[in-house]
Amino acid sequence: MPTPRHHLNRQRRRQALSDPPAPGPRAHAARAHAPVALLPEPEPVSEREPEEELDADTPAPARTAARRRRFSPLVVLCLLTLLLGAFAGWAHHRASGLRDDPARGNTALTDLARTSEIKGQTAAAVAALFSYDHADTAPFERAGRTLLTGKAVAQHKALFGGVLAQAARQKTVITTTVTDSAVERIDGDRARVLVYADQSSVSTAGTGKAKSADQGVYAGAMFALDMVRRDGRWLVESIDTFGR
């Protein structure tokens, strides 16, 4: 027959089996020194947007649009390169054309002293070459020898061939005065001058009433002269009467 002591021992065994053992000092120490797990470091964020991954299940229009978006910067860069190259070529060609343009060698508007010199000597040459006095032909003949060169010699003779014969008979005095001139071009020692002149022709052959009746003939003239510099002087090299 069980005694009270046996009942007490049985209750203790049941209590020991039902309650878990309390943690010991070593367990507390191990838990206190257990390493703390660190949070995973965030992956660096790239500034470049991830490219779209295309697989076999992606529809064809979507793949085409993705490729266009991927290659559009490259296409724009190529187009800009081509445009810049074309512009550089055009600019080089334009600059070469300006350097080779004959008008750039014209100093008529920039060299004012030379322009004034040409105009002054041209006016003096025209007055001597296109004026004639039947009583004193020496200045006219001297001008033809000293102020003409090249084909202007023959042109001057052709212009005055018939005039001189008539002027000798009628005892004519021809006076030519430059009213205005313009230097169209100066290229080194050559120049082209546009001349405006007034010309009068008076006959002194008549006597009495016939002489007083001749009031003379007045006319305006316009022509161009090609001038060339020789030995410090500007000579007439060509006479252009514009087909007259």
Side-chain angles (χ1 to χ4, degrees), residues 9-233:
N9 292 334
R10 185 179 300 173
Q11 290 178 358
R12 288 178 178 176
R13 284 196 298 272
R14 289 178 180 176
Q15 186 176 0
L17 292 175
S18 60
D19 296 337
R26 291 185 178 181
H28 286 286
R31 184 177 303 174
H33 293 82
V36 180
L38 299 178
L39 293 176
E41 296 183 359
E43 297 182 358
V45 180
S46 175
E47 296 180 357
R48 182 180 178 182
E49 296 183 357
E51 297 183 356
E52 298 183 11
E53 296 183 358
L54 304 177
D55 51 18
D57 297 334
T58 305
R63 288 200 300 270
T64 303
R67 291 192 185 96
R68 289 178 179 175
R69 288 194 298 272
R70 185 183 305 171
F71 292 106
S72 59
L74 180 60
V75 173
V76 172
L77 181 60
C78 292
L79 289 177
L80 289 177
T81 303
L82 292 176
L83 290 175
L84 289 176
F87 176 77
W90 175 84
H92 177 73
H93 176 73
R94 180 64 176 170
S96 299
L98 289 176
R99 285 193 299 268
D100 298 336
D101 188 0
R104 291 182 63 84
N106 183 11
T107 59
L109 300 178
T110 58
D111 193 343
L112 300 181
R114 198 173 186 84
T115 301
S116 178
E117 174 190 349
I118 294 171
K119 292 179 66 175
Q121 293 195 24
T122 300
V126 169
L129 290 169
F130 293 89
S131 298
Y132 177 81
D133 186 352
H134 72 96
D136 186 9
T137 61
F140 178 82
E141 295 170 355
R142 183 169 55 252
R145 292 193 307 267
T146 60
L147 298 177
L148 297 173
T149 185
K151 62 182 180 179
V153 176
Q155 292 173 335
H156 185 260
K157 288 181 179 180
L159 289 173
F160 278 89
V163 175
L164 294 181
Q166 185 177 0
R169 292 193 305 267
Q170 297 181 356
K171 299 180 181 181
T172 304
V173 177
I174 302 173
T175 305
T176 303
T177 305
V178 175
T179 57
D180 198 4
S181 64
V183 180
E184 294 183 358
R185 181 181 66 254
I186 301 176
D187 187 4
D189 289 337
R190 294 183 179 277
R192 182 175 176 85
V193 184
L194 184 62
V195 177
Y196 299 90
D198 285 341
Q199 194 171 54
S200 65
S201 175
V202 178
S203 175
T204 61
T207 59
K209 293 183 179 180
K211 182 177 180 179
S212 61
D214 186 6
Q215 301 297 323
V217 178
Y218 299 87
M222 182 181 69
F223 49 93
L225 300 178
D226 291 326
M227 310 293 291
V228 59
R229 186 177 176 82
R230 299 276 177 80
D231 299 328
R233 295 191 309 164

